[in-house]
Amino acid sequence: MERTGTRFIIVGILLLFFIGTGPVQAFSSDRLTVDLLDDGDAYIAFEYTLNMAEKVAVYLKIADPNAELKKALEDMFHHPVTVDEVTSNSVRFRVEAFSNITETNGSIVMKTPEISFTMAEKALRKYWFAPLVQADYSAEIATITYPDGYVEEFFDTDKIPATSRALP
């Protein structure tokens, strides 16, 4: 019970601080990497930066960005997502059947879906502190690496378009 009371006191102090200072720069997307596997699954690694208040919210379990990202990925791709690794500023997922694989004229073609970072914005809006933060959802760099080593890069974007590649 005492730990819960301490949490509410800290949250109250943070709330007063946020109200007094107005909106603050918050969550920022740094890097997104998508590593495609031969079977169509993908490892997606997302690196982000949290400000001090967000780190406190995560520590106190008020917000869980990794759980929100997992849910958003499952909603977006309609496939099971497994969290493989979590650190204080990154998360790595495995998404089953991420890419569509077809055979055309004897060539294997791998197609990826569009990835939109607006999913993060929708997840943030659920929290009480959402009006107090200004998040940057545009990834500084996003890459998709195909099984043959070919890499597509995107810079300062809030959306990665669908891509396709004929594999050798």
Side-chain angles (χ1 to χ4, degrees):
M1 181 70 175
E2 188 173 309
R3 185 173 180 193
T4 302
T6 304
R7 281 186 186 175
F8 286 121
I9 291 170
I10 292 172
V11 170
I13 291 169
L14 287 173
L15 181 59
L16 290 173
F17 175 74
F18 283 139
I19 290 170
T21 60
V24 295
Q25 183 63 39
F27 170 91
S28 66
S29 305
D30 299 329
R31 183 177 190 85
L32 178 82
T33 59
V34 178
D35 294 320
L36 302 173
L37 304 177
D38 289 325
D39 64 0
D41 289 2
Y43 282 108
I44 298 178
F46 188 58
E47 297 173 19
Y48 51 85
T49 302
L50 301 175
N51 67 22
M52 185 55 75
E54 291 166 328
K55 288 179 183 178
V56 169
V58 170
Y59 175 76
L60 295 174
K61 303 216 184 301
I62 296 168
D64 185 355
N66 300 319
E68 292 296 338
L69 287 168
K70 178 186 184 308
K71 183 180 179 331
L73 288 171
E74 287 177 335
D75 289 347
M76 182 186 301
F77 302 124
H78 308 291
H79 296 289
V81 173
T82 305
V83 178
D84 282 347
E85 180 182 16
V86 177
T87 69
S88 62
N89 63 348
S90 68
V91 63
R92 184 175 174 198
F93 303 97
R94 183 176 179 131
V95 181
E96 293 180 23
F98 176 81
S99 57
N100 184 25
I101 300 173
T102 57
E103 187 173 339
T104 306
N105 298 328
S107 293
I108 302 293
V109 176
M110 186 173 271
K111 295 180 181 179
T112 65
E114 176 182 282
I115 302 172
S116 173
F117 297 109
T118 57
M119 64 184 181
E121 182 178 8
K122 290 175 186 172
L124 177 67
R125 283 191 220 145
K126 294 184 218 173
Y127 291 105
W128 61 266
F129 54 81
L132 306 173
V133 296
Q134 294 176 340
D136 177 9
Y137 300 105
S138 301
E140 289 180 28
I141 184 168
T143 60
I144 297 176
T145 304
Y146 283 83
D148 64 351
Y150 176 78
V151 177
E152 294 254 4
E153 293 183 318
F154 306 90
F155 300 93
D156 281 326
T157 183
D158 62 356
K159 183 183 352 178
I160 299 172
T163 66
S164 68
R165 175 158 175 79
L167 299 176

Short mmCIF file of all heavy atoms in Angstrom, two decimals, residues 11 34 61-62 86 95 122 125 128 142 152 155 160 166 168:
data_model
loop_
_atom_site.label_atom_id
_atom_site.label_comp_id
_atom_site.label_asym_id
_atom_site.label_seq_id
_atom_site.Cartn_x
_atom_site.Cartn_y
_atom_site.Cartn_z
N VAL A 11 3.44 10.88 -9.20
CA VAL A 11 2.63 11.23 -10.36
C VAL A 11 2.02 12.61 -10.17
O VAL A 11 1.98 13.42 -11.10
CB VAL A 11 1.54 10.16 -10.61
CG1 VAL A 11 0.54 10.64 -11.66
CG2 VAL A 11 2.17 8.86 -11.06
N VAL A 34 13.73 -3.17 -40.06
CA VAL A 34 12.93 -4.36 -40.37
C VAL A 34 13.86 -5.33 -41.08
O VAL A 34 14.37 -5.02 -42.17
CB VAL A 34 11.73 -4.00 -41.27
CG1 VAL A 34 10.94 -5.25 -41.62
CG2 VAL A 34 10.85 -2.95 -40.61
N LYS A 61 5.43 2.13 -14.05
CA LYS A 61 4.45 1.30 -14.77
C LYS A 61 3.14 2.04 -15.04
O LYS A 61 2.08 1.44 -15.12
CB LYS A 61 4.22 -0.02 -14.04
CG LYS A 61 5.49 -0.80 -13.83
CD LYS A 61 5.26 -2.27 -13.96
CE LYS A 61 6.49 -3.08 -13.65
NZ LYS A 61 7.64 -2.87 -14.42
N ILE A 62 3.21 3.37 -15.16
CA ILE A 62 2.05 4.16 -15.55
C ILE A 62 1.84 4.00 -17.05
O ILE A 62 0.73 3.94 -17.54
CB ILE A 62 2.26 5.65 -15.19
CG1 ILE A 62 2.36 5.79 -13.69
CG2 ILE A 62 1.14 6.51 -15.76
CD1 ILE A 62 2.85 7.15 -13.26
N VAL A 86 13.75 -6.10 -24.81
CA VAL A 86 13.32 -4.77 -24.38
C VAL A 86 14.46 -4.13 -23.59
O VAL A 86 15.04 -4.77 -22.72
CB VAL A 86 12.07 -4.86 -23.47
CG1 VAL A 86 11.69 -3.49 -22.96
CG2 VAL A 86 10.91 -5.50 -24.21
N VAL A 95 7.53 -10.48 -36.00
CA VAL A 95 6.18 -10.43 -36.55
C VAL A 95 6.05 -11.60 -37.53
O VAL A 95 6.80 -11.68 -38.51
CB VAL A 95 5.91 -9.10 -37.29
CG1 VAL A 95 4.49 -9.08 -37.84
CG2 VAL A 95 6.14 -7.92 -36.36
N LYS A 122 -1.77 7.20 -31.76
CA LYS A 122 -3.05 6.68 -31.26
C LYS A 122 -2.87 6.04 -29.88
O LYS A 122 -3.71 6.19 -29.00
CB LYS A 122 -3.64 5.67 -32.24
CG LYS A 122 -4.13 6.31 -33.51
CD LYS A 122 -4.60 5.26 -34.50
CE LYS A 122 -4.95 5.92 -35.83
NZ LYS A 122 -5.24 4.94 -36.87
N ARG A 125 -2.47 8.75 -27.13
CA ARG A 125 -3.69 9.48 -26.78
C ARG A 125 -4.49 8.82 -25.66
O ARG A 125 -5.33 9.46 -25.05
CB ARG A 125 -4.59 9.62 -28.01
CG ARG A 125 -4.11 10.70 -28.94
CD ARG A 125 -5.18 10.99 -29.98
NE ARG A 125 -4.52 11.19 -31.27
CZ ARG A 125 -5.01 10.82 -32.42
NH1 ARG A 125 -6.16 10.21 -32.50
NH2 ARG A 125 -4.35 11.06 -33.53
N TRP A 128 -3.48 9.74 -19.73
CA TRP A 128 -3.93 11.01 -19.15
C TRP A 128 -2.98 12.15 -19.45
O TRP A 128 -3.38 13.29 -19.54
CB TRP A 128 -4.12 10.86 -17.64
CG TRP A 128 -2.86 10.50 -16.90
CD1 TRP A 128 -2.44 9.24 -16.57
CD2 TRP A 128 -1.85 11.37 -16.40
NE1 TRP A 128 -1.23 9.28 -15.93
CE2 TRP A 128 -0.85 10.58 -15.80
CE3 TRP A 128 -1.69 12.76 -16.42
CZ2 TRP A 128 0.29 11.12 -15.21
CZ3 TRP A 128 -0.55 13.30 -15.83
CH2 TRP A 128 0.42 12.48 -15.23
N ALA A 142 14.78 4.75 -41.18
CA ALA A 142 14.08 3.47 -41.18
C ALA A 142 14.68 2.63 -42.30
O ALA A 142 14.93 3.14 -43.40
CB ALA A 142 12.59 3.67 -41.41
N GLU A 152 16.56 -1.13 -48.18
CA GLU A 152 15.80 0.09 -48.54
C GLU A 152 15.92 1.02 -47.34
O GLU A 152 15.73 0.58 -46.20
CB GLU A 152 14.33 -0.23 -48.77
CG GLU A 152 14.06 -1.09 -49.96
CD GLU A 152 13.47 -0.32 -51.13
OE1 GLU A 152 13.33 0.92 -51.03
OE2 GLU A 152 13.16 -0.97 -52.13
N PHE A 155 14.26 8.29 -44.68
CA PHE A 155 14.76 9.26 -43.72
C PHE A 155 13.66 10.24 -43.32
O PHE A 155 12.88 10.69 -44.16
CB PHE A 155 15.94 10.03 -44.31
CG PHE A 155 17.09 9.13 -44.68
CD1 PHE A 155 17.21 8.63 -45.97
CD2 PHE A 155 18.02 8.77 -43.73
CE1 PHE A 155 18.25 7.78 -46.30
CE2 PHE A 155 19.08 7.93 -44.06
CZ PHE A 155 19.19 7.43 -45.35
N ILE A 160 6.49 4.32 -43.83
CA ILE A 160 7.32 3.58 -44.77
C ILE A 160 6.37 2.96 -45.79
O ILE A 160 5.46 2.23 -45.40
CB ILE A 160 8.13 2.48 -44.06
CG1 ILE A 160 9.06 3.10 -43.02
CG2 ILE A 160 8.93 1.67 -45.07
CD1 ILE A 160 9.75 2.08 -42.15
N ALA A 166 12.21 -8.80 -56.03
CA ALA A 166 12.39 -10.15 -56.55
C ALA A 166 13.72 -10.67 -55.99
O ALA A 166 14.77 -10.03 -56.17
CB ALA A 166 12.42 -10.14 -58.08
N PRO A 168 16.91 -13.18 -55.63
CA PRO A 168 17.70 -14.04 -56.56
C PRO A 168 17.57 -15.51 -56.19
O PRO A 168 17.27 -15.89 -55.13
CB PRO A 168 19.14 -13.56 -56.37
CG PRO A 168 19.16 -12.64 -55.21
CD PRO A 168 17.74 -12.34 -54.84
#
